[in-house]
C-alpha cells in the first residue's frame, strides 16, 4: 500500500463489489498477522516451556522411580535385619539367663567344694590323730607285752 505525502493511505473505493476483495483480504491477512505475531511468539515460548517442563518431569519421574525401588529394597533389607536382630536378642536373652543359672550353680558348687575341703581337712586331721593314737597304743601294747 502506498502512502501519500500527507501520510494518508492511497486508497481508492470501487463501486464494483468484487473489485477490492483480494486487496482487502491481503490487507486483513497482513494486519491480522502483525496483530497476532506477539501472541504466536508467546505461544511458541509457552510450547518450549511446556516441552522443557515435560522433559524435566520425565527425568524427575525416572529418578523418583529409582528412589522408590531403592527405598523398597532398603525396606526389605531392614525387615530381614530386624528379624535377625530379634533372633539375636532372643539368643542373647537365653544366653544371659543360662549364664546367670550357671553362675549360681557354680557358686553352689564352689561352696560345696569349700565344705568338702574343710571336711577332708578335718578327716585328714582325725586320721593323723588316729594314726598317732594307734602308734601310741601299739607302743603301750608292745611295752605291756614285753
Amino acid at each position: 500500500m502506498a502512502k501519500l505525502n500527507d501520510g494518508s493511505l492511497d486508497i481508492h473505493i470501487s463501486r464494483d463489489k468484487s473489485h477490492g476483495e483480494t486487496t482487502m483480504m491481503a490487507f486483513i491477512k497482513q494486519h491480522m498477522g502483525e496483530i497476532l505475531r506477539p501472541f504466536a511468539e508467546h505461544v511458541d515460548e509457552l510450547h518450549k516451556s511446556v516441552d522443557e517442563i515435560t522433559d524435566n518431569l520425565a527425568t524427575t519421574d525416572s529418578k523418583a522411580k529409582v528412589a522408590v525401588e531403592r527405598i523398597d529394597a532398603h525396606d526389605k533389607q531392614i525387615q530381614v535385619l530386624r528379624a535377625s536382630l530379634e533372633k539375636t536378642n532372643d539368643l542373647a536373652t537365653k544366653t544371659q539367663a543360662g549364664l546367670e543359672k550357671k553362675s549360681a550353680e557354680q557358686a553352689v558348687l564352689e561352696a560345696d567344694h569349700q565344705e568338702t575341703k574343710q571336711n577332708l581337712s578335718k578327716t585328714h586331721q582325725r586320721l593323723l590323730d588316729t594314726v598317732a593314737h594307734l602308734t601310741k597304743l601299739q607302743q603301750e601294747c608292745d611295752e605291756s607285752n614285753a
Side-chain angles (χ1 to χ4, degrees), residues 107-125:
V108 168
L109 287 174
E110 186 67 32
D112 288 347
H113 180 66
Q114 289 300 326
E115 184 180 340
T116 303
K117 281 175 41 178
Q118 289 174 355
N119 288 340
L120 181 60
S121 178
K122 288 177 187 176
T123 303
H124 184 264
Q125 187 60 43

